[in-house]
C-alpha cells in the first residue's frame, strides 16, 4: 500500500487512552462485528467493509468483509486515517483519482484498487474518534441518503458493542476477584474451625479438669482465676464464631444501629481483653454518645486494641484513643507506642492473611485475619481506615464510620 502523509487529531493522546481503555485491540474475531461489516457492504453495494481502529502507528481491523489476509495497515495512509480528524462528519471520497488530497499515488487494499471511500468515525461517549467503519470500492460512486444513514447507524452499534464488551470484561474481572475472595473465606473458615476454636475448647476442658483436681488446694481467689480463664475462653470462642458468621452472612453489618456511649463500649472491650495494669489507656474526652452498629464497632476495637497490646515490646504500654464527629461521620483513632509496622508492609496490612510482624511480643505468629476483618467492617459501615507508623516507635490507626440517617437528620434539626 502506498503511503502518503500522516493524519493526527489534536487530542491524540487522550484519544489513544480512550481507545486502549476499551481493551479491544488485538482481540479475537467476533461474529457480531463481522455481521455488521457484511450488512454494511450489502446495503451500500460495495466490495469491502471494515471496522478499523486507529492505533498510534497502525490501523487494526476488528472485523472485515471482502478481504481475507489483511488484519492491519500502517497508519501513514492518510485516506484510511483521515476520517478520525473530524468525529462529527463522515469522510466520503467519491473518486480518489480526482481528489488532490489522496491521488498522488494509487491506493490498494489487498487486490482492490481503491477509488471510492466512505468512513464513518466510531465516536465514544466522550467524543473521541476511536477509528472508522469504512467501505471502499474499485470504482467511483456515491451513496444514497438511506445508505449513508444506515452506515452511521451501524457505526453507532459498533461503539455500543465495544462498550458492552468492556463492561463484560470488567464483570469477568470482578467475578475472578469474588472467586478469589470466596477461596480466602473458605481458608478463613478452616483457620477458625481448626486453629482457633479447638485450642479454646481444650483450654475450657483443661480448666475444669485442673479445678476439679486441685479443688482442695485452691483458695477462693485461685478458684476465681480459673473461672476468669474459663469465662474468657468462652467469650473468645463466641467472638470467633461471630467473626466467622460475619464473613458468611454479614449479620454484624445488618444489625440495627444502637445509641450508646463510646467509653462504655471501650470499657467492655478492655474487660473482654483482660488488659493488665501495665497498660495505660486514655479514653476520649467530651461528648462520646454515638449511634451506630455497636456490635461491628466493638469488633473493630477488639481487633485494634488487641493488636496494640500483642505487638508492643515496651515496658509500659501506652494506648491513646481519640474521637470526633461532624454532621456526616464519626472519626476514631487508636495510637500506641508498640513495635510499629515495617514500611514494606503498610500497603498490604489490611489484606486477608497478611501480617505486619513475624511474631508478637510473646513469639506467637499472627494469622492476618484481624485487620482484614476491621477494614471490611469499617468499609461496610460507610467509612474508611488508614494506618501510619514509625517502626519500633508507634502505630496509629484512623478510621471513620458514616452516621446513620436518623442521627444526621437529628443533628441538622438541632
Amino acid at each position: 500500500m502506498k503511503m502518503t502523509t500522516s493524519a493526527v487529531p489534536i487530542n491524540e493522546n487522550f484519544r489513544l487512552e480512550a481507545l486502549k481503555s476499551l481493551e479491544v485491540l488485538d482481540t479475537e474475531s467476533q461474529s457480531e462485528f463481522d455481521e455488521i461489516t457484511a450488512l454494511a457492504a450489502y446495503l451500500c453495494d460495495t466490495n469491502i467493509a471494515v471496522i478499523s481502529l486507529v492505533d498510534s502507528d497502525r490501523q487494526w481491523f476488528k472485523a472485515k468483509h471482502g478481504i481475507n489476509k489483511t488484519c492491519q495497515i500502517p497508519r501513514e495512509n492518510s485516506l484510511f486515517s483521515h476520517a478520525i480528524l473530524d468525529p462529527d462528519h463522515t469522510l466520503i471520497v467519491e473518486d480518489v483519482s480526482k481528489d488532490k488530497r489522496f491521488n498522488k499515488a494509487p491506493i490498494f487494499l489487498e487486490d482492490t484498487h481503491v477509488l471510492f471511500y466512505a468512513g464513518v468515525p466510531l465516536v465514544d461517549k466522550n467524543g473521541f474518534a476511536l477509528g472508522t467503519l469504512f467501505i471502499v470500492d474499485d470504482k467511483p460512486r456515491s451513496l444514497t441518503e438511506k445508505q449513508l444513514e444506515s452506515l452511521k447507524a451501524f457505526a453507532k452499534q459498533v461503539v455500543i458493542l465495544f462498550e458492552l464488551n468492556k463492561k463484560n470484561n470488567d464483570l469477568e474481572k470482578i467475578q475472578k476477584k469474588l472467586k478469589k475472595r470466596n477461596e480466602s473465606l473458605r481458608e478463613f473458615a478452616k483457620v477458625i474451625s481448626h486453629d482457633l476454636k479447638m485450642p479454646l475448647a481444650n483450654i475450657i476442658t483443661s480448666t475444669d479438669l485442673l479445678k476439679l483436681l486441685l479443688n482442695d488446694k485452691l483458695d477462693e481467689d485461685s478458684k476465681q482465676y480459673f473461672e476468669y480463664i474459663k469465662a474468657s475462653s468462652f467469650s473468645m470462642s463466641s467472638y470467633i464464631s461471630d467473626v466467622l458468621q460475619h464473613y458468611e452472612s454479614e449479620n454484624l453489618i445488618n444489625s440495627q444501629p444502637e445509641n450508646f456511649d463510646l467509653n462504655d463500649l471501650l470499657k467492655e472491650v478492655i474487660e473482654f481483653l483482660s488488659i493488665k495494669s501495665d497498660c495505660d489507656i486514655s479514653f476520649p474526652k467530651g461528648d462520646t454518645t454515638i449511634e451506630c452498629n455497636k456490635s461491628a464497632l466493638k469488633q473493630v476495637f477488639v481487633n485494634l486494641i488487641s493488636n496494640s497490646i500483642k505487638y508492643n515490646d515496651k515496658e509500659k504500654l501506652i494506648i491513646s484513643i481519640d474521637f470526633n464527629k461532624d454532621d456526616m461521620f464519626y472519626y476514631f483513632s487508636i495510637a500506641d507506642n508498640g513495635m510499629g509496622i515495617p514500611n514494606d508492609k503498610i500497603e498490604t496490612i489490611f489484606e486477608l492473611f497478611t501480617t505486619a510482624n513475624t511474631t508478637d511480643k510473646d513469639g506467637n505468629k499472627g494469622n492476618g485475619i484481624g485487620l482484614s476483618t476491621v477494614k471490611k467492617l469499617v468499609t461496610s459501615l460507610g467509612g474508611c481506615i488508614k494506618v501510619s507508623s514509625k517502626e519500633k516507635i508507634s502505630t496509629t490507626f484512623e478510621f471513620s464510620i458514616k452516621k446513620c440517617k436518623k442521627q444526621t437528620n437529628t443533628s441538622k434539626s438541632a
Side-chain angles (χ1 to χ4, degrees):
M1 178 175 292
K2 187 67 177 179
M3 299 181 186
T4 57
T5 57
S6 178
V8 179
I10 60 174
N11 60 359
E12 179 66 359
N13 290 336
F14 295 102
R15 189 195 68 81
L16 288 173
E17 185 177 342
L19 172 60
K20 295 184 186 302
S21 70
L22 288 176
E23 300 176 354
V24 67
L25 288 171
D26 300 312
T27 55
E28 295 181 357
S29 175
Q30 293 174 263
S31 60
E32 52 265 41
F33 292 102
D34 295 334
E35 290 167 359
I36 288 178
T37 56
L39 283 170
Y42 174 76
L43 290 175
C44 296
D45 193 24
T46 57
N47 296 336
I48 295 172
V50 177
I51 295 174
S52 171
L53 297 173
V54 183
D55 202 355
S56 57
D57 58 356
R58 60 171 178 157
Q59 293 182 77
W60 178 75
F61 297 166
K62 173 59 181 174
K64 54 189 183 292
H65 177 83
I67 57 176
N68 299 314
K69 298 179 182 179
T70 305
C71 294
Q72 62 183 39
I73 59 176
R75 180 173 176 175
E76 287 83 348
N77 187 287
S78 63
L79 173 60
F80 291 88
S81 61
H82 200 84
I84 66 170
L85 295 179
D86 188 356
D88 297 325
H89 296 91
T90 301
L91 174 63
I92 299 178
V93 183
E94 295 184 349
D95 189 345
V96 174
S97 66
K98 295 180 180 180
D99 193 308
K100 294 181 180 180
R101 295 172 297 175
F102 312 114
N103 64 358
K104 295 180 181 180
I107 298 175
F108 288 85
L109 188 56
E110 288 192 358
D111 297 330
T112 299
H113 180 198
V114 177
L115 288 176
F116 168 79
Y117 172 89
V120 182
L122 303 173
V123 183
D124 72 0
K125 59 185 178 182
N126 295 314
F128 295 115
L130 309 173
T132 58
L133 168 61
F134 71 80
I135 55 175
V136 299
D137 212 336
D138 57 1
K139 57 183 179 292
R141 53 162 302 167
S142 60
L143 292 178
T144 66
E145 190 65 30
K146 287 185 178 181
Q147 287 174 327
L148 181 57
E149 291 302 317
S150 297
L151 203 60
K152 291 179 180 179
F154 287 145
K156 290 180 180 179
Q157 291 303 310
V158 169
V159 175
I160 291 173
L161 285 174
F162 284 157
E163 293 173 348
L164 288 175
N165 278 352
K166 180 62 167 62
K167 290 180 180 179
N168 288 335
N169 290 338
D170 291 342
L171 286 174
E172 288 180 3
K173 292 177 182 178
I174 292 173
Q175 288 176 344
K176 289 180 180 179
K177 289 183 179 180
L178 289 175
K179 183 179 180 181
K180 185 176 180 180
R181 179 192 173 197
N182 288 335
E183 292 172 353
S184 298
L185 291 179
R186 285 194 291 271
E187 287 299 315
F188 173 81
K190 186 187 300 183
V191 170
I192 291 295
S193 299
H194 299 286
D195 295 347
L196 295 177
K197 296 200 72 174
M198 286 304 296
L200 283 173
N202 291 336
I203 291 174
I204 294 171
T205 302
S206 298
T207 300
D208 284 336
L209 181 60
L210 284 172
K211 185 178 179 182
L212 180 62
L213 292 175
L214 301 174
N215 186 54
D216 296 337
K217 301 178 182 179
L218 297 176
D219 57 22
E220 290 302 317
D221 288 340
S222 298
K223 291 179 181 179
Q224 189 62 47
Y225 288 141
F226 273 102
E227 289 300 320
Y228 287 151
I229 294 174
K230 185 176 179 180
S232 296
S233 298
F234 272 121
S235 296
M236 183 61 74
S237 180
S238 176
Y239 164 68
I240 292 170
S241 297
D242 289 342
V243 174
L244 180 59
Q245 188 178 36
H246 159 70
Y247 269 90
E248 292 179 339
S249 64
E250 300 189 351
N251 282 347
L252 283 177
I253 299 302
N254 295 326
S255 298
Q256 292 297 317
E258 300 179 47
N259 195 299
F260 59 94
D261 188 280
L262 174 62
N263 286 341
D264 289 341
L265 174 68
L266 292 174
K267 291 175 184 178
E268 293 178 18
V269 172
I270 290 172
E271 183 178 355
F272 168 75
L273 294 175
S274 301
I275 295 177
K276 299 178 181 178
S277 58
D278 61 352
C279 182
D280 183 8
I281 301 180
S282 60
F283 284 8
K285 305 296 183 181
D287 180 13
T288 55
T289 302
I290 62 177
E291 183 177 1
C292 70
N293 186 324
K294 183 178 180 180
S295 299
L297 183 61
K298 181 176 181 180
Q299 186 169 315
V300 169
F301 275 112
V302 166
N303 278 282
L304 293 179
I305 295 176
S306 176
N307 276 0
S308 292
I309 296 171
K310 289 192 298 181
Y311 297 99
N312 196 314
D313 54 357
K314 307 301 190 298
E315 184 175 345
K316 182 70 173 180
L317 281 65
I318 300 175
I319 300 175
S320 178
I321 303 172
D322 200 5
F323 167 72
N324 285 292
K325 55 185 173 181
D326 59 23
D327 289 341
M328 295 296 295
F329 290 91
Y330 298 115
Y331 303 95
F332 309 86
S333 70
I334 300 178
D336 63 57
N337 65 336
M339 299 177 181
I341 301 173
N343 289 333
D344 61 344
K345 298 291 186 179
I346 289 288
E347 297 297 326
T348 60
I349 193 64
F350 294 107
E351 295 179 6
L352 193 60
F353 305 127
T354 299
T355 57
N357 303 85
T358 304
T359 58
D360 61 19
K361 64 179 181 180
D362 297 321
N364 299 317
K365 186 176 180 179
N367 51 42
I369 296 173
L371 290 181
S372 175
T373 301
V374 166
K375 183 175 181 179
K376 178 177 176 59
L377 287 170
V378 169
T379 302
S380 298
L381 293 172
C384 61
I385 186 168
K386 63 179 181 178
V387 59
S388 59
S389 183
K390 295 181 180 179
E391 197 168 358
K392 299 182 180 180
I393 298 177
S394 66
T395 298
T396 300
F397 286 92
E398 297 176 272
F399 67 96
S400 61
I401 289 178
K402 191 173 184 178
K403 288 184 175 182
C404 63
K405 292 182 179 179
K406 179 179 178 181
Q407 177 77 14
T408 301
N409 293 336
T410 302
S411 297
K412 289 183 178 181
S413 63

